[in-house]
Amino acid sequence: MTADHTTEVTVAVVCKECLPGKVKTRLSPALTPEGAARVASASLADTLATVAALPAARRVLFYDGDVLPEGADGFDVLHQPGGGLDERLGFLFDSVPGPLLLVGMDTPQVSVEALAPVFDEPERDAWFGPAEDGGFWSLYLREPTGDLLRGVPMSQDDTGAVQLARLRSAGLDTGLLTELLDVDTLPDAERVAALAPATRFAAALAAESAPTSGGVR
């Protein structure tokens, strides 16, 4: 994949407004709700920066919130509807025409290189990015249809396996991307920060975890 190689692929980042008590709640009580929100915001900023560097035809923020995040310039905004995550993702894959690559907001270590196979082979039916916790961090469909996601049980340790089986049972030639670790807990966050120490996420986590005059935040 070269920097001047633009494809017809749309990249959509699924994310929500990083409000205290609404995001990364499992980082507390090690971090305050406000600190967890700042870490989540940094994670999202890293993800958007990576997506901005991809040779995509269009970039979409599939957003749950009101105030747009840092780094959203150049992204079209599509607001998430109500319903479960499978229904919302189904809505996304029904709403965006043409090849669509979905990326989550919980893998700040994601790189252009990790997503390069999609842009090297966009003619493939599907690409699937498994997450270490059993979910998935990315999904590409050359011909998007929401029915491939509706009914998949989300946020379970077999979510990724069920989704991948759904793709394959539909007869789709599905390539696998690198497995990544989602940031859910503090140990997850510490591992990801060690893997990607130059990220905004790593800096934010270090700042929130640093000792203060009142103890550890």
Side-chain angles (χ1 to χ4, degrees):
M1 182 179 67
T2 60
D4 58 355
H5 173 61
T6 302
T7 66
E8 296 181 354
V9 176
T10 294
V11 184
V13 178
V14 181
C15 55
K16 59 183 176 181
E17 191 171 351
C18 297
L19 298 172
K22 299 294 185 181
V23 291
K24 295 292 157 224
T25 55
R26 292 170 65 187
L27 295 182
S28 299
L31 303 184
T32 65
E34 293 77 13
R38 285 189 286 269
V39 168
S41 180
S43 175
L44 178 54
D46 284 322
T47 303
L48 295 180
T50 295
V51 170
L54 294 171
R58 182 187 179 204
R59 296 167 182 82
V60 173
L61 200 68
F62 188 46
Y63 199 54
D64 177 8
D66 298 313
V67 179
L68 295 182
E70 172 191 352
D73 292 347
F75 284 72
D76 296 330
V77 179
L78 177 63
H79 288 282
Q80 296 184 26
L85 181 56
D86 65 312
E87 291 289 339
R88 286 179 277 143
L89 294 181
F91 171 84
L92 172 66
F93 276 86
D94 281 341
S95 299
V96 178
L100 175 61
L101 172 63
L102 163 74
V103 178
M105 66 174 283
D106 296 330
T107 50
Q109 75 275 36
V110 68
S111 63
V112 169
E113 291 73 23
L115 291 165
V118 176
F119 295 90
D120 289 337
E121 295 185 64
E123 67 278 5
R124 200 157 193 172
D125 294 334
W127 285 95
F128 181 79
E132 190 176 310
D133 64 1
F136 61 96
W137 63 271
S138 184
L139 175 63
Y140 169 80
L141 293 177
R142 180 170 55 85
E143 297 181 359
T145 174
D147 287 343
L148 287 171
L149 293 103
R150 291 188 185 89
V152 173
M154 297 289 169
S155 302
Q156 298 183 180
D157 58 10
D158 64 346
T159 293
V162 173
Q163 182 63 74
L164 183 58
R166 179 80 70 89
L167 301 176
R168 288 174 170 167
S169 66
L172 301 186
D173 174 24
T174 305
L176 293 180
L177 300 174
T178 301
E179 182 178 84
L180 294 182
L181 173 64
D182 279 343
V183 173
D184 290 317
T185 66
L186 187 61
D188 295 339
E190 291 170 342
R191 284 180 57 197
V192 169
L195 288 169
T199 56
R200 297 172 179 84
F201 169 81
L205 181 66
E208 297 302 329
S209 303
T212 66
S213 58
V216 177
R217 295 169 67 177

